Amino acid sequence: MGDHPELGTFPRMDYTSGVRRALLAALRSRLRPALEEQWAGGLGAAFLLATADLVAVAVRADDPPLLHTWVQLLGLYLPLGFLGGTAAGLVVATVRDAPWLARTRFTWSRIGSRGRSPERFAHVLSAAAGLGLFVLGMRTAAVGLAGRLHDAALIAWAIALAAPVVAILAIVFAAGLDALLRRVSPLLGDFASGRSAIFVLSGAIASVVFFVVSEASVTLQQLNLLDLLWLPSALVLHLAWVWVVRRVGRGRGRVVRRATYLAILATGLVFGVSIRTYGHANSVRGAIETHSIGGRALARRWRSWTDRDRDGHAWAYGGDDCNDSDPRIHPGAEDPAGDGIDSDCFGGDGTPALEGLHSDGDFAPRPAGLAARPNLILLTIDALRPDRLGAYGYERPTSPNIDALAAESVRFTRVLAPSSRSVRSIPAVFAGVYPSEVAYGGEFLFPSVRDENELLAERLSAHGYRMHAMLGTDYFSRVRGFFQGFDEIAQPPHAARSFPVDEALRVLDGMEDGAGPWCLWVHLFNVHLPYLPDGVASMYGDTEPDWYDTEITLADREVGRLVEALKARGVWDDTVLVFASDHGEGLGEHGHIGHASSLYEEEVRTPLLIRVPGLAPRVVERAVSLIDVMPTVLNLVDAPAPQRIVGRSLVADLTGTRAQGAEQLPIFSELLPDGLFPFDQKSVTVGDEKLIWWIRDGRVALFDLATDPAERVDLSESRRERANELHGVLRAWMASGRRGNRSDDVARAHVLRRVPDMDESVLARYPGFTLLGYDVGARTLSRGDTVELDFYFRSDRAIEEDLFFNVELVGPDGYVVHDFGAPHYPVFGAYHTNEWKRGEVVQDPIHIVVPDAVRPGTTFEATLLVFSEDRRRTIGYLRGPATPEPSEPIHRLPLGTFTVN
């Protein structure tokens, strides 16, 4: 009770309680049933989609752990099913009992019933026409605005403002059509019914589909059918599940309700488990993000949504961000010691595992009796595996001359190349650092080696050596700066197998006595794909490994010729000879033939023999890196090394003076993406343990090489703590490297804040992105010059496919020059289309060196082509400057001509 002096006594109203009771009543009578029904539909559809995706993974992947994969897929799908059910429930609760929609609800609830009903007939057709007009209007508005505005924010605002206008126009059109049809439909007699309208609408849809298939089949070929049907399938499954719940729920409402809430509880539990454990099992993560239909996209979305500080590393879903409120702290961040902050989420402040990684070469005392500046032979065979040589235990007689050389040399049994790609490995070996620390330029496919690098040939030249290089290929002529320090280079485009040794003998014959020390780099290229291209008969069989062995035997003969010539000329006892390869070769062990695609042992393990006059032969079994060759050679000839390299001199191993049990630093190998070879991988080897990290896939694999030399058993789950530790070492090592060589840095540098002024404006619209235009350098060039093209793409929506681009240069009569073109993944392979974010403007530089094989005076037509993820389909542009309103996509976008003088 309450009193007031003027008004007397009156009962106190509990307004809060009344509002609460009203809301609870509304919840029970309208909102709760709708939510329960739609929750069941959303969760049921998500469950079925996750299960279907599991089937796809089981078919595509190689023996994935199905139960664990299914749990993670459920954790990705079910929360979205719950959110979708919540949104649908709110909509249904709003329209189910609204008085102003009573007549419409009544009409639509009986839309499929028999009997004449002009009103239902009009409603179905007018509603469909209005919806179609809205979709068509929004598409037209989006295309028109995107073509006229270059700023993503302006485009978004313009489309948002256009949406209500288009919606009002569609509603007005539908209302007018409904009024017209209600007047006309009585003339149709009994045909004017809801069921007839559905029949007419189905026929119209079928006609449109037939027209699209027959007249625009090229467009359909660009679409992935599973991706196209995935979202409509989710909607159909949702509606079907709601219908099932309604049918089953009659008389069993309490049972259905309890089952729904149990499903919600299970969703929460699975979601919680998925948040924290996704990525712990690398086999599961790899299966989902490589082989699933929708799981890969969902995992990326969840990671993006749980990345609070937007540094690219989430706290959940395998992002491993230890402080998601500070963008300066994340896995892979630079972590300078002494600031008290664990910036890289690994090992506390600083990175103890990398202490002492750099040095000045760690020189040892030179062998007694070795001349101050002995002659040097650097003898390399491209793509040579050590396990196919007799000296390393191979049973076939592939290498008698190399075996004889090994018998009087120091043989290293565990040598790891810094990369399995030549244009990364050889510059790293010559610089004494890992590829990510080499200063590269920006040429497409063949990244140049900048002058700021200090290479072995430059050091030797400064020390008085005459430097000669003779190669069995002109492959490296496209790499600017590759031959820094060499005085003479011989590299014909189509060399015979004997050419490098023939040239070496020519140089030796021209040497004048007492003219000073010399260094010959002899590089045999024939043990490289394609094997036996000139039709030479195989010595061992008809398979690719047999052909590979045959090429080794042919290269071995050249090694024998060179050694015999050195002995015959009387310089053998005055010459240090280093024999090695730049990397290994896959022969099908992990599904690869060739190299440059992985960091498994068959692609990174190389032979290394070092013969020093006067030193006894020996075998060194500890693991070393090929980048140790550079400081070793400088140590042997008593030339100073650069002040900050990673390679360590092996002279103490040559002389047998290295202390037993000396500290073993981690050895790294890596693949840096460069456009045509987009593989972004790192590996670290410590003792017998080796971890490989596929950066773009986000998965790792740990191997024990002592018990599993073939790298078949991934131990990253059973030894998770050790795998995480080595993964942290890799991330910390990446952070310590050169910024311009990290994929994330390359990607960020080529995402522009605004659209720049361009030489050529194009506005060619492709599915998912628009080519705004491009910059072009000189169109008249000489051999050795660079065709410079910089494309500017705007991402219009998330693109699920990893699209592949090519700039094709074709001369008269179809004249094409090998390696004169630009097949590539965008941004040097560092920022693929399925990573682009909506609204970004991406700069894609293409700089192609004109090879010597180009005929002078030739004019080339340049065109841009875009290919699907599997490269089997060409993605055409839908609108461009030459085709204002095409009836079907155009596949070749002209870029003008280039003339080579």
Side-chain angles (χ1 to χ4, degrees), residues 567-587:
K567 292 178 178 179
R569 285 164 174 77
V571 295
W572 180 246
D573 292 331
D574 301 319
T575 301
V576 171
L577 187 147
V578 178
F579 173 87
S581 179
D582 52 350
H583 51 70
E585 185 86 336
L587 295 175

PDB file of all heavy atoms in Angstrom, residues 567-587:
ATOM      1  N   LYS A 567      94.180 -34.321 -63.641  1.00  0.00           N
ATOM      2  CA  LYS A 567      95.384 -35.109 -63.359  1.00  0.00           C
ATOM      3  C   LYS A 567      96.361 -35.021 -64.527  1.00  0.00           C
ATOM      4  O   LYS A 567      97.586 -34.890 -64.328  1.00  0.00           O
ATOM      5  CB  LYS A 567      95.005 -36.555 -63.083  1.00  0.00           C
ATOM      6  CG  LYS A 567      94.224 -36.751 -61.776  1.00  0.00           C
ATOM      7  CD  LYS A 567      93.833 -38.207 -61.565  1.00  0.00           C
ATOM      8  CE  LYS A 567      93.104 -38.402 -60.243  1.00  0.00           C
ATOM      9  NZ  LYS A 567      92.690 -39.810 -60.029  1.00  0.00           N
ATOM     10  N   ALA A 568      95.836 -35.112 -65.757  1.00  0.00           N
ATOM     11  CA  ALA A 568      96.709 -35.082 -66.934  1.00  0.00           C
ATOM     12  C   ALA A 568      97.415 -33.742 -67.082  1.00  0.00           C
ATOM     13  O   ALA A 568      98.552 -33.683 -67.588  1.00  0.00           O
ATOM     14  CB  ALA A 568      95.893 -35.377 -68.185  1.00  0.00           C
ATOM     15  N   ARG A 569      96.792 -32.668 -66.644  1.00  0.00           N
ATOM     16  CA  ARG A 569      97.383 -31.331 -66.777  1.00  0.00           C
ATOM     17  C   ARG A 569      98.268 -30.980 -65.588  1.00  0.00           C
ATOM     18  O   ARG A 569      98.797 -29.870 -65.508  1.00  0.00           O
ATOM     19  CB  ARG A 569      96.272 -30.294 -66.949  1.00  0.00           C
ATOM     20  CG  ARG A 569      95.663 -30.333 -68.352  1.00  0.00           C
ATOM     21  CD  ARG A 569      94.333 -29.609 -68.398  1.00  0.00           C
ATOM     22  NE  ARG A 569      93.804 -29.517 -69.762  1.00  0.00           N
ATOM     23  CZ  ARG A 569      93.229 -30.498 -70.423  1.00  0.00           C
ATOM     24  NH1 ARG A 569      93.146 -31.709 -69.852  1.00  0.00           N
ATOM     25  NH2 ARG A 569      92.772 -30.332 -71.642  1.00  0.00           N
ATOM     26  N   GLY A 570      98.380 -31.885 -64.618  1.00  0.00           N
ATOM     27  CA  GLY A 570      99.287 -31.678 -63.506  1.00  0.00           C
ATOM     28  C   GLY A 570      98.815 -30.697 -62.460  1.00  0.00           C
ATOM     29  O   GLY A 570      99.644 -30.175 -61.702  1.00  0.00           O
ATOM     30  N   VAL A 571      97.507 -30.436 -62.394  1.00  0.00           N
ATOM     31  CA  VAL A 571      97.004 -29.477 -61.403  1.00  0.00           C
ATOM     32  C   VAL A 571      96.175 -30.169 -60.320  1.00  0.00           C
ATOM     33  O   VAL A 571      95.651 -29.492 -59.433  1.00  0.00           O
ATOM     34  CB  VAL A 571      96.153 -28.377 -62.084  1.00  0.00           C
ATOM     35  CG1 VAL A 571      97.014 -27.544 -63.015  1.00  0.00           C
ATOM     36  CG2 VAL A 571      94.975 -28.985 -62.834  1.00  0.00           C
ATOM     37  N   TRP A 572      96.044 -31.485 -60.391  1.00  0.00           N
ATOM     38  CA  TRP A 572      95.191 -32.218 -59.440  1.00  0.00           C
ATOM     39  C   TRP A 572      95.667 -32.030 -57.997  1.00  0.00           C
ATOM     40  O   TRP A 572      94.851 -31.824 -57.088  1.00  0.00           O
ATOM     41  CB  TRP A 572      95.177 -33.698 -59.821  1.00  0.00           C
ATOM     42  CG  TRP A 572      94.339 -34.583 -58.921  1.00  0.00           C
ATOM     43  CD1 TRP A 572      94.789 -35.576 -58.106  1.00  0.00           C
ATOM     44  CD2 TRP A 572      92.929 -34.564 -58.767  1.00  0.00           C
ATOM     45  NE1 TRP A 572      93.748 -36.186 -57.442  1.00  0.00           N
ATOM     46  CE2 TRP A 572      92.575 -35.579 -57.850  1.00  0.00           C
ATOM     47  CE3 TRP A 572      91.903 -33.790 -59.318  1.00  0.00           C
ATOM     48  CZ2 TRP A 572      91.270 -35.838 -57.454  1.00  0.00           C
ATOM     49  CZ3 TRP A 572      90.593 -34.039 -58.932  1.00  0.00           C
ATOM     50  CH2 TRP A 572      90.285 -35.059 -58.006  1.00  0.00           C
ATOM     51  N   ASP A 573      96.968 -32.054 -57.787  1.00  0.00           N
ATOM     52  CA  ASP A 573      97.499 -31.957 -56.427  1.00  0.00           C
ATOM     53  C   ASP A 573      97.576 -30.527 -55.920  1.00  0.00           C
ATOM     54  O   ASP A 573      98.003 -30.300 -54.776  1.00  0.00           O
ATOM     55  CB  ASP A 573      98.885 -32.600 -56.361  1.00  0.00           C
ATOM     56  CG  ASP A 573      98.830 -34.112 -56.566  1.00  0.00           C
ATOM     57  OD1 ASP A 573      97.792 -34.705 -56.213  1.00  0.00           O
ATOM     58  OD2 ASP A 573      99.802 -34.685 -57.083  1.00  0.00           O
ATOM     59  N   ASP A 574      97.182 -29.583 -56.750  1.00  0.00           N
ATOM     60  CA  ASP A 574      97.156 -28.177 -56.327  1.00  0.00           C
ATOM     61  C   ASP A 574      95.724 -27.636 -56.264  1.00  0.00           C
ATOM     62  O   ASP A 574      95.534 -26.415 -56.155  1.00  0.00           O
ATOM     63  CB  ASP A 574      97.953 -27.302 -57.303  1.00  0.00           C
ATOM     64  CG  ASP A 574      99.411 -27.742 -57.408  1.00  0.00           C
ATOM     65  OD1 ASP A 574      99.986 -28.069 -56.352  1.00  0.00           O
ATOM     66  OD2 ASP A 574      99.940 -27.771 -58.530  1.00  0.00           O
ATOM     67  N   THR A 575      94.737 -28.529 -56.339  1.00  0.00           N
ATOM     68  CA  THR A 575      93.346 -28.087 -56.494  1.00  0.00           C
ATOM     69  C   THR A 575      92.462 -28.664 -55.400  1.00  0.00           C
ATOM     70  O   THR A 575      92.490 -29.883 -55.144  1.00  0.00           O
ATOM     71  CB  THR A 575      92.796 -28.513 -57.880  1.00  0.00           C
ATOM     72  OG1 THR A 575      93.616 -27.944 -58.902  1.00  0.00           O
ATOM     73  CG2 THR A 575      91.367 -28.056 -58.058  1.00  0.00           C
ATOM     74  N   VAL A 576      91.688 -27.800 -54.769  1.00  0.00           N
ATOM     75  CA  VAL A 576      90.621 -28.221 -53.858  1.00  0.00           C
ATOM     76  C   VAL A 576      89.364 -28.425 -54.687  1.00  0.00           C
ATOM     77  O   VAL A 576      88.975 -27.540 -55.471  1.00  0.00           O
ATOM     78  CB  VAL A 576      90.375 -27.171 -52.753  1.00  0.00           C
ATOM     79  CG1 VAL A 576      89.130 -27.528 -51.950  1.00  0.00           C
ATOM     80  CG2 VAL A 576      91.579 -27.068 -51.837  1.00  0.00           C
ATOM     81  N   LEU A 577      88.729 -29.584 -54.523  1.00  0.00           N
ATOM     82  CA  LEU A 577      87.522 -29.888 -55.293  1.00  0.00           C
ATOM     83  C   LEU A 577      86.352 -30.095 -54.331  1.00  0.00           C
ATOM     84  O   LEU A 577      86.436 -30.903 -53.389  1.00  0.00           O
ATOM     85  CB  LEU A 577      87.724 -31.121 -56.161  1.00  0.00           C
ATOM     86  CG  LEU A 577      86.582 -31.438 -57.145  1.00  0.00           C
ATOM     87  CD1 LEU A 577      87.139 -32.079 -58.419  1.00  0.00           C
ATOM     88  CD2 LEU A 577      85.529 -32.350 -56.546  1.00  0.00           C
ATOM     89  N   VAL A 578      85.279 -29.357 -54.561  1.00  0.00           N
ATOM     90  CA  VAL A 578      84.043 -29.502 -53.784  1.00  0.00           C
ATOM     91  C   VAL A 578      82.986 -30.045 -54.728  1.00  0.00           C
ATOM     92  O   VAL A 578      82.705 -29.444 -55.775  1.00  0.00           O
ATOM     93  CB  VAL A 578      83.580 -28.153 -53.195  1.00  0.00           C
ATOM     94  CG1 VAL A 578      82.270 -28.333 -52.430  1.00  0.00           C
ATOM     95  CG2 VAL A 578      84.651 -27.581 -52.287  1.00  0.00           C
ATOM     96  N   PHE A 579      82.427 -31.206 -54.374  1.00  0.00           N
ATOM     97  CA  PHE A 579      81.392 -31.855 -55.188  1.00  0.00           C
ATOM     98  C   PHE A 579      80.085 -31.860 -54.403  1.00  0.00           C
ATOM     99  O   PHE A 579      80.049 -32.291 -53.244  1.00  0.00           O
ATOM    100  CB  PHE A 579      81.800 -33.285 -55.531  1.00  0.00           C
ATOM    101  CG  PHE A 579      80.725 -34.080 -56.225  1.00  0.00           C
ATOM    102  CD1 PHE A 579      80.596 -34.033 -57.598  1.00  0.00           C
ATOM    103  CD2 PHE A 579      79.833 -34.856 -55.496  1.00  0.00           C
ATOM    104  CE1 PHE A 579      79.594 -34.757 -58.251  1.00  0.00           C
ATOM    105  CE2 PHE A 579      78.844 -35.585 -56.135  1.00  0.00           C
ATOM    106  CZ  PHE A 579      78.716 -35.533 -57.511  1.00  0.00           C
ATOM    107  N   ALA A 580      79.014 -31.370 -55.033  1.00  0.00           N
ATOM    108  CA  ALA A 580      77.723 -31.300 -54.324  1.00  0.00           C
ATOM    109  C   ALA A 580      76.597 -31.198 -55.335  1.00  0.00           C
ATOM    110  O   ALA A 580      76.809 -31.202 -56.557  1.00  0.00           O
ATOM    111  CB  ALA A 580      77.697 -30.098 -53.378  1.00  0.00           C
ATOM    112  N   SER A 581      75.391 -31.124 -54.828  1.00  0.00           N
ATOM    113  CA  SER A 581      74.215 -30.803 -55.626  1.00  0.00           C
ATOM    114  C   SER A 581      73.541 -29.598 -55.002  1.00  0.00           C
ATOM    115  O   SER A 581      73.888 -29.180 -53.889  1.00  0.00           O
ATOM    116  CB  SER A 581      73.253 -31.992 -55.664  1.00  0.00           C
ATOM    117  OG  SER A 581      72.101 -31.661 -56.411  1.00  0.00           O
ATOM    118  N   ASP A 582      72.577 -28.995 -55.702  1.00  0.00           N
ATOM    119  CA  ASP A 582      71.854 -27.859 -55.136  1.00  0.00           C
ATOM    120  C   ASP A 582      70.629 -28.303 -54.334  1.00  0.00           C
ATOM    121  O   ASP A 582      70.119 -27.567 -53.495  1.00  0.00           O
ATOM    122  CB  ASP A 582      71.441 -26.875 -56.234  1.00  0.00           C
ATOM    123  CG  ASP A 582      70.695 -27.549 -57.381  1.00  0.00           C
ATOM    124  OD1 ASP A 582      70.661 -28.802 -57.430  1.00  0.00           O
ATOM    125  OD2 ASP A 582      70.161 -26.832 -58.241  1.00  0.00           O
ATOM    126  N   HIS A 583      70.147 -29.519 -54.594  1.00  0.00           N
ATOM    127  CA  HIS A 583      69.003 -30.091 -53.873  1.00  0.00           C
ATOM    128  C   HIS A 583      68.833 -31.528 -54.356  1.00  0.00           C
ATOM    129  O   HIS A 583      69.593 -32.001 -55.202  1.00  0.00           O
ATOM    130  CB  HIS A 583      67.722 -29.282 -54.107  1.00  0.00           C
ATOM    131  CG  HIS A 583      67.421 -29.020 -55.558  1.00  0.00           C
ATOM    132  ND1 HIS A 583      67.025 -30.005 -56.430  1.00  0.00           N
ATOM    133  CD2 HIS A 583      67.502 -27.883 -56.300  1.00  0.00           C
ATOM    134  CE1 HIS A 583      66.852 -29.492 -57.628  1.00  0.00           C
ATOM    135  NE2 HIS A 583      67.141 -28.201 -57.592  1.00  0.00           N
ATOM    136  N   GLY A 584      67.832 -32.222 -53.830  1.00  0.00           N
ATOM    137  CA  GLY A 584      67.565 -33.593 -54.251  1.00  0.00           C
ATOM    138  C   GLY A 584      66.492 -33.662 -55.314  1.00  0.00           C
ATOM    139  O   GLY A 584      66.274 -32.709 -56.080  1.00  0.00           O
ATOM    140  N   GLU A 585      65.811 -34.807 -55.355  1.00  0.00           N
ATOM    141  CA  GLU A 585      64.800 -35.049 -56.389  1.00  0.00           C
ATOM    142  C   GLU A 585      63.774 -36.054 -55.870  1.00  0.00           C
ATOM    143  O   GLU A 585      64.133 -37.111 -55.338  1.00  0.00           O
ATOM    144  CB  GLU A 585      65.467 -35.602 -57.651  1.00  0.00           C
ATOM    145  CG  GLU A 585      64.543 -35.775 -58.837  1.00  0.00           C
ATOM    146  CD  GLU A 585      64.411 -34.499 -59.661  1.00  0.00           C
ATOM    147  OE1 GLU A 585      64.636 -33.396 -59.096  1.00  0.00           O
ATOM    148  OE2 GLU A 585      64.079 -34.579 -60.856  1.00  0.00           O
ATOM    149  N   GLY A 586      62.513 -35.700 -55.998  1.00  0.00           N
ATOM    150  CA  GLY A 586      61.460 -36.645 -55.650  1.00  0.00           C
ATOM    151  C   GLY A 586      61.248 -37.645 -56.769  1.00  0.00           C
ATOM    152  O   GLY A 586      61.190 -37.274 -57.955  1.00  0.00           O
ATOM    153  N   LEU A 587      61.132 -38.906 -56.405  1.00  0.00           N
ATOM    154  CA  LEU A 587      60.879 -39.969 -57.385  1.00  0.00           C
ATOM    155  C   LEU A 587      59.607 -40.725 -57.020  1.00  0.00           C
ATOM    156  O   LEU A 587      59.524 -41.939 -57.147  1.00  0.00           O
ATOM    157  CB  LEU A 587      62.075 -40.920 -57.458  1.00  0.00           C
ATOM    158  CG  LEU A 587      63.380 -40.299 -57.983  1.00  0.00           C
ATOM    159  CD1 LEU A 587      64.527 -41.295 -57.900  1.00  0.00           C
ATOM    160  CD2 LEU A 587      63.201 -39.794 -59.421  1.00  0.00           C
TER     161      LEU A 587
END
